[in-house]
Amino acid sequence: MAALSTMYPRTLRALKLVAREKGRIGRPPLYCFATAAISTPALQRCEASRSGVSYSRLQQVQLCRRLATADQPPGNDKQQQQKQEQKSTGDGAASPPSAAPSPLSAAPSPPSAASATARLKEAVIKVMPRKKERLRFDSSHPSLERNFITAVRAMAEFLLKPSDLENLRKTKRRSPFENEPPITVYWRKDVEAKAVTVWGSEEALENERKKREKEIRRYQQNIFNIKRLLREHRRDQRTSPEPQRANQGLDSSGKVVWAAVVINGANLVMKLGAWAFTGSHSLFAEALHSFADVTNQLILAYGIHKSKQSADVVHPYGYTTMRYVSSLISGAMIFCVGSGLSIQHGIQGLMEPSEVVPLYWAFYILGGSLITEGGTLLMAVHAIRKGAQHQQMSFMEYVLRGQDPSVNVVLLEDMAAVVGVGVAMGCMGLTSLLGSHIPDAIGSCLIGGILACVSGFIIYTNSAALVGKSIPQHRLEKINEELEGDVLIRAIYDVKGIDMGTGLVRYKAEVDFDGRELTRGYLDQQDLEALLKEMQNLKTIEEVEAFLLKHGENIVDSLGEQVDRIETILKKSHPEIRHCDLEIL
């Protein structure tokens, strides 16, 4: 011990400080660390009693500084080392080789400086209290540690009962639905632990899930069988179910389409009768035109009915684009049936001439068709003019953009029908006047060309709408101007306003929020004096971290509330916005 006090005076004083602290809390003041440099059992006894030592921050810093200067023994002077080496060399040379060893020389030598320093440092490091490391943010590893889960999902996925969730931790979170109160959610890890407790193990839970899935499939199959038996019973009894009442009345588009179906159906019957009596190629082309119109307008009526269906899980944005789909199919049918067969019949009439018969009845029928087709054309023009005024567009812009595809198809078909009737009457008049079949056959080809142009325009406008068409720029700028005027928003980027059909819009923008204004709004809802006292009571890093985590989570919740507020304002100012997606930049 005396040798150690001579070689390491600073380290020994530091260890005495530790020993005094140890004696202060009721432990025997043993100089275990000095002994640990020599004896291994003493080191083990010292390690066994190190848990009772406590230090202040200042004492820890002072102790570390003192140990930092203990790497070399004191008096590390080069001249003194050289004198000691010379003295030891001289004493060795003067003593005879056969002399008996003295008792002093037989005594054990003290441990080396490096070994003693290492042992002392190891002992002190083990006694020093270790600082608890704080959790770091790591986005590279997926984790469900802090995930929430709703009660419905917990009972469905983990097969729990409402009584199983009563004693679990729960919290209130902002509802994802508009104008709905906050929802109650549970910690996912608590729900998983409860499920394992209820079912015994994860294997048992998985087996129960598979069992219930089989029961659900069996139940669905039974429901299907029951429905099939009911249908067979109704068929056997020759009874039909009561007609389902429409939830909504016909809008202007539906009225125009159904009126066109009735009128074109009557024209089809009259034109087919006149063609059977006269054999005119132009009249046959007009009959094909009317047949294509009736078929297409029935498809349009189905598209209008389907577009009013509410959104569901499979189609979360609804069925508004069904009008574009039905109009696209109508355009394809006009091209294939109306245009293709008319041109084919006209070419056949040129290559295989037929006898010219009186066409008086055909003129009467075409005159009546001209009146009826003109009536439906006026109805379509009135509906489009009304829609254009509502959308603040011109008549031509409304038609070219295909805002109401169903009425557009009726308009173009009736326009082509009126022009086609005029062409047919002119060509039939030339045939009667000249007695030649050529004008009549050319008229059939011309009507086919008119139908091809109409079908091409319908296909182009509806395919562009199905791909995704932006709303007019002035409307988009008006929405952007109102959004940028909010106090929380600094700027907006990547703005998109997509026309979903029937005047509905899906608006999307990436928003740069002002964090200072958001925090100021959050602080306006807090008691600042109580918040100040809470901050003044913070003493440790752990308390500071808990304080920041609590208020950080509350600020994020307030951000969600502000997003809902902005979306509600936009939808109220612009009723055509059906879906508003604001992404935080």
Side-chain angles (χ1 to χ4, degrees):
M1 182 67 68
L4 288 175
S5 62
T6 303
M7 296 175 61
Y8 305 98
R10 298 181 181 178
T11 303
L12 196 58
R13 285 197 299 272
L15 292 176
K16 287 180 179 180
L17 175 64
V18 176
R20 284 199 302 271
E21 177 68 15
K22 197 170 187 180
R24 186 182 62 81
I25 62 173
R27 300 282 181 170
L30 301 177
Y31 297 99
C32 58
F33 302 103
T35 310
I38 305 174
S39 174
T40 302
L43 176 62
Q44 295 176 354
R45 291 194 301 270
C46 179
E47 292 176 356
S49 62
R50 71 177 183 269
S51 59
V53 181
S54 62
Y55 308 95
S56 65
R57 177 67 61 183
L58 178 60
Q59 291 172 343
Q60 294 175 14
V61 174
Q62 291 176 350
L63 183 58
C64 292
R65 288 179 178 176
R66 291 170 182 175
L67 289 177
T69 61
D71 293 336
Q72 298 294 334
N76 187 16
D77 186 75
K78 294 183 179 180
Q79 296 179 359
Q80 293 180 1
Q81 291 180 5
Q82 291 177 1
K83 291 180 180 179
Q84 292 177 0
E85 290 177 359
Q86 293 176 1
K87 183 178 180 181
S88 60
T89 305
D91 294 342
S95 61
S98 60
S102 63
L104 183 60
S105 61
S109 60
S112 63
S115 176
T117 302
R119 285 175 177 269
L120 288 172
K121 283 190 174 183
E122 182 180 358
V124 173
I125 289 174
K126 290 182 178 180
V127 174
M128 292 282 289
R130 297 181 181 178
K131 180 182 176 181
K132 183 180 177 181
E133 295 184 359
R134 59 179 296 270
L135 295 176
R136 299 289 183 177
F137 175 74
D138 186 6
S139 60
S140 61
H141 296 85
S143 175
L144 301 177
E145 183 69 20
R146 295 183 57 82
N147 283 28
F148 291 133
I149 186 172
T150 61
V152 175
R153 186 179 173 189
M155 292 186 290
E157 294 185 6
F158 297 95
L159 311 181
L160 297 176
K161 300 177 181 178
S163 58
D164 297 331
L165 303 176
E166 291 179 355
N167 298 327
L168 298 182
R169 290 184 300 172
K170 55 187 176 182
T171 183
K172 294 287 187 179
R173 304 295 294 175
R174 183 176 58 88
S175 175
F177 306 102
E178 297 179 5
N179 302 323
E180 293 291 336
I183 60 175
T184 302
V185 293
Y186 299 85
W187 291 82
R188 184 186 179 93
K189 59 181 180 181
D190 295 346
V191 174
E192 292 177 351
K194 186 65 176 180
V196 172
T197 303
V198 171
W199 294 102
S201 64
E202 294 184 359
E203 292 76 9
L205 176 61
E206 187 64 27
N207 294 334
E208 184 65 21
R209 285 174 179 169
K210 294 179 180 179
K211 179 181 177 181
R212 296 197 181 188
E213 287 178 359
K214 292 180 180 179
E215 293 178 355
I216 292 174
R217 286 195 295 267
R218 189 182 302 111
Y219 172 77
Q220 292 175 347
Q221 184 64 32
N222 293 336
I223 293 295
F224 175 78
N225 294 334
I226 291 173
K227 289 182 178 180
R228 181 172 55 83
L229 292 175
L230 288 174
R231 286 194 300 267
E232 293 177 357
H233 176 73
R234 289 170 180 168
R235 186 172 61 251
D236 294 340
Q237 297 295 328
R238 295 183 180 181
T239 59
S240 58
E242 295 182 358
Q244 186 177 4
R245 297 180 180 179
N247 295 329
Q248 299 177 350
L250 291 177
D251 55 5
S252 59
S253 302
K255 293 178 182 179
V256 171
V257 170
W258 281 111
V261 169
V262 174
I263 293 174
N264 286 323
N267 290 337
L268 173 63
V269 174
M270 292 188 296
K271 289 178 182 178
L272 284 176
W275 169 74
F277 180 75
T278 61
S280 171
H281 300 291
S282 298
L283 204 56
F284 177 77
E286 277 299 308
L288 287 177
H289 185 188
S290 297
F291 173 75
D293 288 349
V294 172
T295 306
N296 295 335
Q297 285 152 9
L298 288 174
I299 296 175
L300 292 176
Y302 173 76
I304 293 173
H305 169 73
K306 192 69 176 178
S307 65
K308 296 179 181 179
Q309 185 173 341
S310 302
D312 51 26
V313 178
V314 180
H315 299 86
Y317 289 105
Y319 295 81
T320 55
T321 54
M322 277 300 299
R323 297 196 180 199
Y324 295 108
V325 175
S326 60
S327 300
L328 183 64
I329 297 174
S330 298
M333 288 194 63
I334 291 174
F335 182 81
C336 296
V337 178
S339 176
L341 292 179
S342 297
I343 293 175
Q344 179 187 4
H345 197 72
I347 294 174
Q348 185 178 0
L350 290 174
M351 299 181 65
E352 299 176 2
S354 59
E355 182 182 358
V356 179
V357 296
L359 303 175
Y360 301 109
W361 286 105
F363 285 111
Y364 289 120
I365 292 174
L366 288 178
S369 177
L370 181 63
I371 295 174
T372 56
E373 297 284 1
T376 55
L377 177 61
L378 292 177
M379 291 180 62
V381 169
H382 176 72
I384 289 179
R385 184 179 289 111
K386 185 177 179 180
Q389 292 177 355
H390 180 72
Q391 297 290 337
Q392 298 179 356
M393 297 182 182
S394 63
F395 184 87
M396 287 301 299
E397 184 182 5
Y398 190 86
V399 173
L400 294 177
R401 290 185 60 85
Q403 293 296 120
D404 193 342
S406 302
V407 179
N408 272 7
V409 171
V410 174
L411 173 71
L412 295 174
E413 286 180 346
D414 290 341
M415 187 180 298
V418 171
V419 176
V421 168
V423 172
M425 292 180 68
C427 292
M428 289 169 61
L430 291 176
T431 297
S432 299
L433 181 64
L434 300 177
S436 173
H437 66 285
I438 294 178
D440 190 21
I442 293 176
S444 179
C445 294
L446 291 176
I447 293 173
I450 294 172
L451 294 177
C453 295
V454 171
S455 64
F457 179 78
I458 293 174
I459 292 172
Y460 171 75
T461 55
N462 289 280
S463 60
L466 287 173
V467 170
K469 180 175 55 178
S470 175
I471 61 177
Q473 186 65 27
H474 68 276
R475 293 177 59 193
L476 188 61
E477 291 177 354
K478 189 175 181 181
I479 299 174
N480 294 342
E481 182 179 356
E482 184 167 356
L483 181 61
E484 288 180 327
D486 195 275
V487 66
L488 285 180
I489 295 177
R490 289 175 172 170
I492 57 175
Y493 307 93
D494 193 20
V495 180
K496 295 181 178 65
I498 304 301
D499 187 358
M500 300 175 58
T502 63
L504 301 180
V505 175
R506 179 184 176 186
Y507 181 79
K508 175 260 178 186
E510 293 187 2
V511 182
D512 184 6
F513 279 91
D514 189 345
R516 296 178 62 88
E517 292 296 331
L518 177 65
T519 307
R520 185 175 288 111
Y522 172 73
L523 293 177
D524 291 341
Q525 303 173 0
Q526 306 298 318
D527 186 356
L528 297 183
E529 293 183 358
L531 193 63
L532 178 61
K533 293 180 180 179
E534 185 179 359
M535 294 173 61
Q536 291 174 346
N537 294 329
L538 301 178
K539 301 299 182 182
T540 63
I541 295 179
E542 290 76 12
E543 293 177 354
V544 173
E545 183 177 4
F547 175 82
L548 294 177
L549 289 175
K550 181 184 72 172
H551 291 282
E553 185 175 8
N554 294 338
I555 290 176
V556 172
D557 291 341
S558 67
L559 176 60
E561 295 174 358
Q562 294 299 327
V563 170
D564 291 343
R565 177 187 63 82
I566 295 173
E567 291 179 353
T568 302
I569 292 175
L570 287 180
K571 290 181 179 181
K572 186 176 181 180
S573 303
H574 304 275
E576 68 274 12
I577 299 179
R578 171 66 63 87
H579 302 282
C580 184
D581 302 326
L582 300 181
E583 300 179 3
I584 301 174
L585 185 62

